[in-house]
Amino acid sequence: MAQEDLFKKLIAHCKEYGYVFPSSEIYDGLGAVYDYGQYGVELKNNIKKYWWDSMVLLHENIVGIDSAIFMHPTIWKASGHVDAFNDPLIDNRDSKKRYRADVLIEEQLAKIEAKIEKEVEKAKGRFGESFDEGQFRATNARVLESQSKWDDLHNRFAEALNNSDLAELKQIIEDQEIVCPISGTRNWTEVRQFNLMFSTDMGSTADGALKIYLRPETAQGIFVNYMNVQKSGRMKIPFGIAQIGKAFRNEIVARQFIFRMREFEQMELQFFVRPGTELEWFEKWKQLRIKWHQALGFGNENYRFHEHEKLAHYANAAVDIEYKFPFGFKEVEGIHSRTDYDLSQHQKFSGKKIQYFDPELNESYVPYVVETSIGVDRMFLQIISAAYHEEIVDDANGQKDTRVVLRLPAPLAPVKLAVMPLIKKDGLPEKAREIIEELKFDFNCQYDEKDSIGKRYRRQDAIGTPFCVTVDHETAGDNTVTIRYRDTMLQERVNISLLRDIILNQVGFRKLFTQLKP
Ligand code: ATP
């Protein structure tokens, strides 16, 4: 199936099965804002738990906070967001559609990359076992020509971004003959900067209302609490502060479902280190974070690092972790070495000393910071697009049938087990309820007695439930049930007393966490 069709199906599936709904749908929706349904919220909470515990539980030198969304407006002046949190936008005069100029150019780069990959794949098929990919890439004329085009464009693009040269961005779009995907024309406006922060007023106008911003990142809430946490927790450098919370950005182009939203949630760690050691820590966090992603088992080849074309004003190193979404490799998480920029700026703007006395060096300094920043929603999309599968299977009568299954990692699945009486009488429903009464203290369980067993299995597959337990007439006699495994569809007969351990072994976070050793 074409990746685009797959993505459309995924969006429809998310709505049909209570994962994600468009916000304010009965009023025709609100652009790039989404609500999470009954299963979506469970998956989201499990993602947050995986992240939070991997930080706060597994590291004795990381603690968490929960700062307010509203903050003093000077914070955003100090952080540079009022002056520099901009995206370069460009409009197409014919379609009246607005685009991010940098994204249009990135897509052009991706097209050239795709061309190279196509050549490589073709050659792979031609040469079979004896194919030497490195040599092919280094010598094939068509690949070299495309690679040289890519290098030239990439260098020109990086330079334009670094110099904030908007006219040059426009020139690149013209020279590359990039067209608007809607109108198909090259009738572009100039490129302009657009600030992404939402603002609102606090207090009544009679009092002189204060213009405040909805935070575009959670990080600043950590920086302004650095001294509070360090002192009250007697934290010693190196140490980290973790936070999960909402962030808001008035995105110019909001496309691709929950990939780019105007209201979203971030999970951020700010890790404070001794100046001069930040690049070492940056490297450590890079490795640790990619392990966190890969532990979920969606295939290591689907992740890659991407170095930034342009470093943000506060950073001296930055890399993204990208995942191969149905629409290509895209950022899921950013890892940034933010230097002492933020703490120094807050020290300057607040007039308060923000320093750490290092007893080993016998000196005070403003700590350096390595940040890891990941969007909950983008991670949600990553997981659900990796988990969504359509399979042809045999149904109960030996006929071919399509099953849609969410192969969610068991610790993240919203419902851990469904308990089903084979029929709605003979005491089977009561027995099924009894099992739930026992297991509901440990797991999110669901009772289901409607329709045939086959249909009930499909329903559970579609929401990603890893285990289905069926109570039948044998159960009353020997206290056994059948347990059916989502991925293999295999069934086995087990004693009810074993259910808790079998399930716990799969749905606990322990297996994931043990893979995260530095
Ligand atoms: P992009 O280049 O995609 O705009 P960014 O580099 O601005 O992202 P960061 O500021 O590094 O993103 O934010 C950290 C993480 O927050 C991103 O990796 C992403 O997972 C998430 N994120 C950022 N913006 C959005 C958004 N509009 N919607 C959903 N998630 C977002």
Side-chain angles (χ1 to χ4, degrees):
M1 190 188 319
Q3 294 294 295
E4 230 169 76
D5 295 337
L6 180 76
F7 194 55
K8 277 190 195 144
K9 282 194 166 185
L10 180 70
I11 297 171
H13 188 85
C14 281
K15 188 175 164 206
E16 186 181 349
Y17 285 91
Y19 271 89
V20 185
F21 306 127
S23 160
S24 324
E25 199 185 5
I26 57 168
Y27 291 96
D28 297 332
L30 184 66
V33 186
Y34 289 88
D35 297 336
Y36 287 84
Q38 62 276 28
Y39 298 124
V41 66
E42 297 288 344
L43 173 58
K44 211 171 169 215
N45 284 341
N46 293 338
I47 293 170
K48 288 193 257 185
K49 181 175 167 55
Y50 178 40
W51 184 88
W52 184 266
D53 287 358
S54 75
M55 292 294 177
V56 174
L57 211 69
L58 301 193
H59 297 95
E60 59 183 81
N61 59 350
I62 297 180
V63 293
I65 62 163
D66 182 21
S67 69
I69 289 173
F70 291 160
M71 290 193 270
H72 196 287
T74 309
I75 288 173
W76 303 110
K77 194 75 195 151
S79 68
H81 283 83
V82 172
D83 298 319
F85 194 55
N86 299 320
D87 275 344
L89 69 85
I90 189 165
D91 292 280
N92 182 272
R93 291 198 185 91
D94 299 321
S95 66
K96 310 268 184 277
K97 286 279 171 203
R98 182 161 283 179
Y99 298 90
R100 257 172 68 177
D102 55 333
V103 172
L104 286 179
I105 300 170
E106 274 170 11
E107 283 171 359
Q108 185 74 359
L109 282 165
K111 271 190 197 155
I112 305 177
E113 248 176 83
K115 214 168 147 188
I116 297 175
E117 293 315 309
K118 215 169 152 188
E119 289 293 342
V120 173
E121 284 308 310
K122 248 172 38 196
K124 238 185 224 168
R126 240 187 0 251
F127 292 105
E129 296 261 302
S130 62
F131 184 57
D132 180 342
E133 188 175 326
Q135 199 195 358
F136 180 78
R137 283 180 188 271
T139 54
N140 178 273
R142 271 196 299 272
V143 169
L144 288 178
E145 194 193 329
S146 296
Q147 189 60 49
S148 145
K149 269 191 196 157
W150 190 92
D151 290 341
D152 290 348
L153 176 56
H154 183 258
N155 291 341
R156 201 175 156 197
F157 174 46
E159 199 179 324
L161 282 181
N162 280 314
N163 298 334
S164 298
D165 188 343
L166 303 183
E168 173 68 353
L169 286 177
K170 164 91 191 280
Q171 197 56 50
I172 295 176
I173 289 172
E174 288 195 339
D175 292 350
Q176 292 289 319
E177 302 183 348
I178 295 174
V179 298
C180 164
I182 309 284
S183 66
T185 71
R186 285 187 259 143
N187 193 3
W188 296 110
T189 62
E190 295 308 306
V191 177
R192 281 168 296 142
Q193 292 288 24
F194 177 77
N195 193 289
L196 299 180
M197 280 199 295
F198 285 100
S199 63
T200 186
D201 297 323
M202 183 180 256
S204 74
T205 26
D207 292 333
L210 192 60
K211 177 176 173 176
I212 54 168
Y213 298 98
L214 298 187
R215 63 182 182 195
E217 62 174 25
T218 59
Q220 298 303 325
I222 296 180
F223 293 129
V224 297
N225 277 299
Y226 163 81
M227 288 305 286
N228 285 336
V229 175
Q230 193 272 320
K231 285 208 167 119
S232 60
R234 292 179 296 124
M235 307 302 291
K236 292 201 172 48
I237 274 182
F239 75 91
I241 304 178
Q243 171 160 235
I244 300 179
K246 287 270 180 159
F248 305 84
R249 295 183 187 179
N250 197 1
E251 297 282 0
I252 302 168
V253 256
R255 264 182 293 157
Q256 285 151 340
F257 194 34
I258 53 172
F259 183 83
R260 194 176 298 288
M261 302 157 89
R262 297 203 164 99
E263 173 180 342
F264 59 102
E265 216 169 349
Q266 287 186 314
M267 308 189 277
E268 296 199 297
L269 168 76
Q270 307 298 323
F271 196 75
F272 300 94
V273 304
R274 196 182 272 174
T277 64
E278 72 276 8
L279 294 180
E280 219 175 287
W281 281 107
F282 175 75
E283 214 34 60
K284 279 189 194 162
W285 277 109
K286 237 175 102 172
Q287 299 312 328
L288 207 55
R289 290 307 301 151
I290 197 136
K291 269 191 193 174
W292 183 89
H293 288 274
Q294 291 177 341
L296 293 173
F298 291 123
N300 293 1
E301 69 284 2
N302 291 320
Y303 300 87
R304 71 178 189 192
F305 287 118
H306 171 82
E307 306 286 337
H308 279 208
E309 273 74 33
K310 179 194 179 184
L311 290 177
H313 56 279
Y314 49 73
N316 69 356
V319 73
D320 296 335
I321 294 176
E322 294 188 337
Y323 176 76
K324 198 174 180 185
F325 284 94
F327 42 86
F329 271 105
K330 294 278 178 203
E331 169 180 347
V332 183
E333 170 159 6
I335 300 159
H336 312 119
S337 172
R338 287 181 83 129
T339 68
D340 60 353
Y341 179 82
D342 300 270
L343 291 183
S344 295
Q345 285 291 96
H346 290 307
Q347 183 167 257
K348 192 166 123 197
F349 277 73
S350 68
K352 310 275 178 352
K353 198 169 154 192
I354 306 182
Q355 297 205 348
Y356 175 76
F357 176 73
D358 192 325
E360 280 174 36
L361 298 180
N362 201 24
E363 65 179 65
S364 293
Y365 51 76
V366 177
Y368 270 47
V369 174
V370 174
E371 161 186 87
T372 74
S373 174
I374 171 170
V376 180
D377 314 84
R378 212 171 272 188
M379 190 62 201
F380 185 110
L381 183 61
Q382 191 262 280
I383 289 170
I384 207 135
S385 48
Y388 182 91
H389 285 91
E390 288 181 14
E391 299 173 350
I392 306 291
V393 293
D394 291 327
D395 70 9
N397 308 318
Q399 302 293 320
K400 294 289 173 214
D401 185 20
T402 305
R403 83 159 179 158
V404 174
V405 54
L406 290 186
R407 293 179 182 270
L408 295 170
L412 304 184
V415 178
K416 304 301 187 204
L417 83 152
V419 185
M420 313 167 166
L422 187 63
I423 52 170
K424 278 193 262 184
K425 54 184 185 185
D426 302 339
L428 303 188
E430 290 73 14
K431 189 67 192 168
R433 294 259 184 223
E434 223 175 79
I435 295 173
I436 289 184
E437 281 309 307
E438 183 54 32
L439 294 180
K440 74 177 185 190
F441 299 109
D442 296 301
F443 313 116
N444 191 343
C445 308
Q446 200 170 81
Y447 176 81
D448 192 0
E449 62 174 21
K450 197 169 173 288
D451 300 322
S452 70
I453 278 285
K455 275 198 183 149
R456 284 182 258 171
Y457 284 160
R458 290 287 180 276
R459 267 205 296 273
Q460 296 300 330
D461 289 343
I463 61 165
T465 307
F467 303 100
C468 289
V469 165
T470 305
V471 173
D472 56 26
H473 290 97
E474 278 176 54
T475 307
D478 61 5
N479 221 31
T480 62
V481 286
T482 53
I483 180 164
R484 179 228 190 223
Y485 302 95
R486 177 196 67 199
D487 295 344
T488 57
M489 295 192 288
L490 292 177
Q491 301 182 21
E492 54 178 342
R493 191 121 206 130
V494 299
N495 198 286
I496 290 175
S497 61
L498 296 178
L499 282 179
R500 185 174 173 277
D501 282 351
I502 294 174
I503 296 165
L504 194 60
N505 185 34
Q506 295 300 320
V507 306
F509 280 86
R510 199 187 167 82
K511 266 197 183 157
L512 289 175
F513 289 151
T514 49
Q515 296 176 58
L516 302 184
K517 294 218 175 75

